[in-house]
Every structure is written in structure tokens, then in C-alpha cells.
């Protein structure tokens, strides 16, 4: 349970249950999302801009959870919401105590349901872990990385800043993924990946 008033920035239906569990503290949704079909459970507070945020902060000063998928957009939004940005860790996730200690020093990290994070994992600001992803020992994850559902990072893997690891992909132990990379859904990565690359398939190949 969250203890302070909070709002969500961006739309992610995977967090609906969290919002319902904490509805007494939930102030609303801040988003440029235009599909009105998604407003059935959400109050609308304002758009993703500084002017709206100044008014919201003055009135409520809420904690802010940024849940959009794009790592670079999460970083850009962090500049708007500043120190109000918090981590969100599902009670249904497992995080090793040694890793959790590291996470508590960061901001904007999202850990969804059924995520497993092992010991001595280094995680920078703004990383998003989708449902059922598995992160094994001694992994290093750069800032604003996004890990899609059911992806697996084996021991000693290193992921560069802003990279996207696709759903169901597997990164072999000791592999290095560069910055600004995209790993396609279902890929199996057996070799290092250079910066600014897109790799797909089993075994992974450059596009």
C-alpha cells in the first residue's frame, strides 16, 4: 500500500490493480493519451507539461509514478516532475535484499508483478520491468532501459542505457547489449550487441 497521495503519468493497464488497491490515495492520471475509452477508472489531472504540473504540485504535491514504455520519454518526463518521482515495486515481485538496497537509492524504477531480480544486480534510474521478467545475479542495467514481459537476463549480462529488451527474449550469461538497442520479441542473444543496433531471431541477428 502506498502512504501518500500519488498520480500516474502515462497509461499502462498493467497497473490498474495497483490503482484500485490504492484508490484512496490516487489523485488521477496525467497524460496526453487521447483515447477516452481508457478513462473509466481514472481521474484526469492534466497534460504532460510543466504548466499543468506546477498547478497540480501546488494543490496536491503528490508522488509521481511514470509508467510510459519509452525510456527516453520517461527520462524527459522526469525533468518535469523532479523529486516527486518515486519507484513502484509490486508486492508480488521478488527482489534480493542486496539489489533492493541499491534500488532504494534510485528514482523512477518500475517493477511489475511476478518479476524476479537476483542478488548483486545494479540498476540505474528509470528502468521498467514488465510482468514476469527474470534478472539473474550480477546483471548491470543502464538508465531508462525497458524490459518487456517474460524476458530473461542470465548472470553477468550488461545492458546499456535506453535499450529495449523484447518480450520473451533470452540474453545468454555474460553478454553485453549496447546503448539504444532493440532486442526483438522472442530473440535469443548469444553474442555481444553493438550500440544503436536492432537484433532479432534465434540466434539473434542484426537487422
Amino acid at each position: 500500500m502506498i502512504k501518500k497521495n500519488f498520480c500516474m503519468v502515462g497509461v499502462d493497464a498493467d497497473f490498474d490493480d495497483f490503482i484500485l488497491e490504492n484508490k484512496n490515495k490516487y489523485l488521477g492520471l496525467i497524460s496526453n493519451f487521447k483515447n477516452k475509452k481508457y478513462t473509466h477508472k481514472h481521474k484526469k489531472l492534466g497534460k504532460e507539461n510543466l504548466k499543468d504540473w506546477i498547478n497540480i504540485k501546488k494543490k496536491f504535491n503528490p508522488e509521481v509514478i511514470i509508467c510510459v514504455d519509452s525510456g527516453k520519454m520517461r527520462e524527459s518526463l522526469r525533468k518535469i516532475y523532479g523529486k516527486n518521482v518515486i519507484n513502484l515495486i509490486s508486492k508480488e515481485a521478488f527482489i534480493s535484499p542486496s539489489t533492493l538496497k541499491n534500488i532504494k537509492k534510485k528514482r523512477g524504477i518500475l517493477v511489475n508483478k511476478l518479476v524476479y531480480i537476483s542478488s548483486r544486480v545494479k540498476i540505474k534510474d528509470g528502468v521498467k520491468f514488465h510482468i514476469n521478467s527474470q534478472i539473474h545475479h550480477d546483471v548491470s542495467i543502464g538508465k531508462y532501459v525497458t524490459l518487456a514481459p517474460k524476458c530473461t537476463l542470465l548472470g553477468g549480462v550488461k545492458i546499456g542505457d535506453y535499450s529495449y529488451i523484447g518480450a520473451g527474449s533470452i540474453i545468454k550469461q555474460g553478454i553485453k547489449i549496447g546503448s539504444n538497442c532493440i532486442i526483438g520479441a522472442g530473440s535469443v542473444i548469444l553474442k555481444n550487441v553493438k550500440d544503436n543496433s536492432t537484433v532479432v531471431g534465434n540466434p539473434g541477428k542484426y537487422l
Side-chain angles (χ1 to χ4, degrees), residues 18 92-93 112 116 151 167:
F18 171 80
E92 298 177 45
N112 218 312
Y116 172 86
C151 67

Side-chain angles (χ1 to χ4, degrees), residues 78 82-87 103 105-109 125-126:
R78 166 77 186 280
K83 293 182 179 179
N84 288 66
V85 174
I86 64 168
N87 299 330
I103 287 177
K105 299 176 183 177
K106 308 299 180 181
R107 286 185 182 268
I109 293 173
D125 288 336

